PDB file of all heavy atoms in Angstrom:
ATOM      1  N   CYS A  42      -8.116 -26.281 -29.404  1.00 89.00           N
ATOM      2  CA  CYS A  42      -7.949 -27.126 -28.220  1.00 89.00           C
ATOM      3  C   CYS A  42      -9.068 -28.009 -28.106  1.00 89.00           C
ATOM      4  O   CYS A  42     -10.282 -27.502 -27.818  1.00 89.00           O
ATOM      5  CB  CYS A  42      -7.588 -26.237 -27.100  1.00 89.00           C
ATOM      6  SG  CYS A  42      -7.189 -27.085 -25.548  1.00 89.00           S
ATOM      7  N   PHE A  43      -8.929 -29.263 -27.944  1.00 93.00           N
ATOM      8  CA  PHE A  43     -10.071 -30.275 -27.991  1.00 93.00           C
ATOM      9  C   PHE A  43      -9.847 -31.298 -26.844  1.00 93.00           C
ATOM     10  O   PHE A  43      -9.024 -32.170 -27.008  1.00 93.00           O
ATOM     11  CB  PHE A  43     -10.183 -31.053 -29.258  1.00 93.00           C
ATOM     12  CG  PHE A  43     -10.369 -30.074 -30.524  1.00 93.00           C
ATOM     13  CD1 PHE A  43      -9.252 -29.446 -31.225  1.00 93.00           C
ATOM     14  CD2 PHE A  43     -11.584 -29.727 -30.889  1.00 93.00           C
ATOM     15  CE1 PHE A  43      -9.490 -28.695 -32.261  1.00 93.00           C
ATOM     16  CE2 PHE A  43     -11.802 -28.851 -32.029  1.00 93.00           C
ATOM     17  CZ  PHE A  43     -10.716 -28.291 -32.595  1.00 93.00           C
ATOM     18  N   PHE A  44     -10.654 -31.174 -25.826  1.00 92.00           N
ATOM     19  CA  PHE A  44     -10.619 -32.062 -24.642  1.00 92.00           C
ATOM     20  C   PHE A  44     -12.086 -32.353 -24.228  1.00 92.00           C
ATOM     21  O   PHE A  44     -12.927 -31.697 -24.586  1.00 92.00           O
ATOM     22  CB  PHE A  44      -9.752 -31.479 -23.626  1.00 92.00           C
ATOM     23  CG  PHE A  44      -8.359 -31.418 -23.704  1.00 92.00           C
ATOM     24  CD1 PHE A  44      -7.721 -30.436 -24.276  1.00 92.00           C
ATOM     25  CD2 PHE A  44      -7.505 -32.492 -23.283  1.00 92.00           C
ATOM     26  CE1 PHE A  44      -6.390 -30.356 -24.561  1.00 92.00           C
ATOM     27  CE2 PHE A  44      -6.240 -32.493 -23.480  1.00 92.00           C
ATOM     28  CZ  PHE A  44      -5.517 -31.395 -24.095  1.00 92.00           C
ATOM     29  N   SER A  45     -12.133 -33.463 -23.553  1.00 87.00           N
ATOM     30  CA  SER A  45     -13.532 -33.977 -23.161  1.00 87.00           C
ATOM     31  C   SER A  45     -14.440 -34.086 -24.249  1.00 87.00           C
ATOM     32  O   SER A  45     -14.116 -34.662 -25.304  1.00 87.00           O
ATOM     33  CB  SER A  45     -14.088 -32.909 -22.166  1.00 87.00           C
ATOM     34  OG  SER A  45     -15.195 -33.531 -21.480  1.00 87.00           O
ATOM     35  N   GLU A  46     -15.578 -33.441 -24.262  1.00 87.00           N
ATOM     36  CA  GLU A  46     -16.617 -33.597 -25.295  1.00 87.00           C
ATOM     37  C   GLU A  46     -16.172 -32.973 -26.713  1.00 87.00           C
ATOM     38  O   GLU A  46     -16.591 -33.418 -27.659  1.00 87.00           O
ATOM     39  CB  GLU A  46     -17.880 -32.808 -25.005  1.00 87.00           C
ATOM     40  CG  GLU A  46     -18.767 -33.593 -24.011  1.00 87.00           C
ATOM     41  CD  GLU A  46     -19.284 -34.984 -24.447  1.00 87.00           C
ATOM     42  OE1 GLU A  46     -19.512 -35.039 -25.640  1.00 87.00           O
ATOM     43  OE2 GLU A  46     -19.277 -35.881 -23.632  1.00 87.00           O
ATOM     44  N   LYS A  47     -15.163 -31.996 -26.581  1.00 91.00           N
ATOM     45  CA  LYS A  47     -14.676 -31.353 -27.863  1.00 91.00           C
ATOM     46  C   LYS A  47     -14.062 -32.381 -28.652  1.00 91.00           C
ATOM     47  O   LYS A  47     -14.116 -32.363 -29.858  1.00 91.00           O
ATOM     48  CB  LYS A  47     -13.884 -30.057 -27.503  1.00 91.00           C
ATOM     49  CG  LYS A  47     -14.549 -29.049 -26.868  1.00 91.00           C
ATOM     50  CD  LYS A  47     -15.476 -28.435 -27.814  1.00 91.00           C
ATOM     51  CE  LYS A  47     -16.172 -27.161 -27.212  1.00 91.00           C
ATOM     52  NZ  LYS A  47     -17.309 -26.652 -28.110  1.00 91.00           N
ATOM     53  N   ILE A  48     -13.150 -33.192 -28.027  1.00 92.00           N
ATOM     54  CA  ILE A  48     -12.415 -34.231 -28.916  1.00 92.00           C
ATOM     55  C   ILE A  48     -13.329 -35.345 -29.498  1.00 92.00           C
ATOM     56  O   ILE A  48     -13.171 -35.889 -30.418  1.00 92.00           O
ATOM     57  CB  ILE A  48     -11.188 -34.948 -28.229  1.00 92.00           C
ATOM     58  CG1 ILE A  48     -10.387 -35.659 -29.265  1.00 92.00           C
ATOM     59  CG2 ILE A  48     -11.564 -35.698 -26.957  1.00 92.00           C
ATOM     60  CD1 ILE A  48      -9.111 -36.199 -28.707  1.00 92.00           C
ATOM     61  N   ARG A  49     -14.375 -35.497 -28.620  1.00 92.00           N
ATOM     62  CA  ARG A  49     -15.414 -36.531 -29.074  1.00 92.00           C
ATOM     63  C   ARG A  49     -15.976 -36.044 -30.437  1.00 92.00           C
ATOM     64  O   ARG A  49     -16.467 -36.940 -31.208  1.00 92.00           O
ATOM     65  CB  ARG A  49     -16.428 -36.736 -27.930  1.00 92.00           C
ATOM     66  CG  ARG A  49     -17.374 -37.817 -28.280  1.00 92.00           C
ATOM     67  CD  ARG A  49     -18.494 -37.939 -27.343  1.00 92.00           C
ATOM     68  NE  ARG A  49     -19.370 -39.147 -27.537  1.00 92.00           N
ATOM     69  CZ  ARG A  49     -20.496 -39.381 -26.786  1.00 92.00           C
ATOM     70  NH1 ARG A  49     -20.839 -38.682 -25.774  1.00 92.00           N
ATOM     71  NH2 ARG A  49     -21.140 -40.403 -27.071  1.00 92.00           N
ATOM     72  N   GLU A  50     -16.191 -34.792 -30.536  1.00 90.00           N
ATOM     73  CA  GLU A  50     -16.840 -34.268 -31.703  1.00 90.00           C
ATOM     74  C   GLU A  50     -15.949 -34.457 -32.960  1.00 90.00           C
ATOM     75  O   GLU A  50     -16.488 -34.311 -34.118  1.00 90.00           O
ATOM     76  CB  GLU A  50     -17.164 -32.691 -31.552  1.00 90.00           C
ATOM     77  CG  GLU A  50     -18.229 -32.443 -30.453  1.00 90.00           C
ATOM     78  CD  GLU A  50     -18.301 -30.967 -29.988  1.00 90.00           C
ATOM     79  OE1 GLU A  50     -17.719 -30.076 -30.705  1.00 90.00           O
ATOM     80  OE2 GLU A  50     -19.090 -30.605 -29.118  1.00 90.00           O
ATOM     81  N   LEU A  51     -14.650 -34.609 -32.723  1.00 92.00           N
ATOM     82  CA  LEU A  51     -13.622 -34.819 -33.841  1.00 92.00           C
ATOM     83  C   LEU A  51     -13.790 -36.265 -34.455  1.00 92.00           C
ATOM     84  O   LEU A  51     -13.284 -36.539 -35.433  1.00 92.00           O
ATOM     85  CB  LEU A  51     -12.323 -34.555 -33.445  1.00 92.00           C
ATOM     86  CG  LEU A  51     -11.987 -32.904 -33.082  1.00 92.00           C
ATOM     87  CD1 LEU A  51     -10.546 -32.774 -32.745  1.00 92.00           C
ATOM     88  CD2 LEU A  51     -12.443 -31.956 -34.177  1.00 92.00           C
ATOM     89  N   GLY A  52     -14.284 -37.142 -33.578  1.00 90.00           N
ATOM     90  CA  GLY A  52     -14.301 -38.582 -33.967  1.00 90.00           C
ATOM     91  C   GLY A  52     -15.229 -38.828 -35.141  1.00 90.00           C
ATOM     92  O   GLY A  52     -16.359 -38.365 -35.395  1.00 90.00           O
ATOM     93  N   MET A  53     -14.698 -39.702 -35.929  1.00 85.00           N
ATOM     94  CA  MET A  53     -15.445 -40.129 -37.242  1.00 85.00           C
ATOM     95  C   MET A  53     -16.572 -41.060 -36.776  1.00 85.00           C
ATOM     96  O   MET A  53     -16.512 -41.632 -35.701  1.00 85.00           O
ATOM     97  CB  MET A  53     -14.513 -40.851 -38.123  1.00 85.00           C
ATOM     98  CG  MET A  53     -13.413 -39.955 -38.639  1.00 85.00           C
ATOM     99  SD  MET A  53     -13.973 -38.620 -39.909  1.00 85.00           S
ATOM    100  CE  MET A  53     -14.236 -39.653 -41.328  1.00 85.00           C
ATOM    101  N   PRO A  54     -17.577 -41.367 -37.630  1.00 80.00           N
ATOM    102  CA  PRO A  54     -18.672 -42.277 -37.220  1.00 80.00           C
ATOM    103  C   PRO A  54     -18.085 -43.708 -36.923  1.00 80.00           C
ATOM    104  O   PRO A  54     -16.955 -44.018 -37.258  1.00 80.00           O
ATOM    105  CB  PRO A  54     -19.458 -42.386 -38.625  1.00 80.00           C
ATOM    106  CG  PRO A  54     -19.149 -41.183 -39.369  1.00 80.00           C
ATOM    107  CD  PRO A  54     -17.661 -40.863 -38.938  1.00 80.00           C
ATOM    108  N   ASP A  55     -18.965 -44.415 -36.089  1.00 73.00           N
ATOM    109  CA  ASP A  55     -18.482 -45.659 -35.600  1.00 73.00           C
ATOM    110  C   ASP A  55     -18.031 -46.652 -36.698  1.00 73.00           C
ATOM    111  O   ASP A  55     -17.204 -47.528 -36.487  1.00 73.00           O
ATOM    112  CB  ASP A  55     -19.634 -46.365 -34.745  1.00 73.00           C
ATOM    113  CG  ASP A  55     -19.897 -45.656 -33.480  1.00 73.00           C
ATOM    114  OD1 ASP A  55     -19.056 -44.811 -33.125  1.00 73.00           O
ATOM    115  OD2 ASP A  55     -21.133 -45.866 -32.929  1.00 73.00           O
TER     116      ASP A  55
END
Side-chain angles (χ1 to χ4, degrees):
C42 187
F43 302 88
F44 286 85
S45 190
E46 286 295 325
K47 292 296 183 182
I48 190 172
R49 186 183 186 185
E50 294 172 4
L51 299 181
M53 298 290 283
D55 292 342

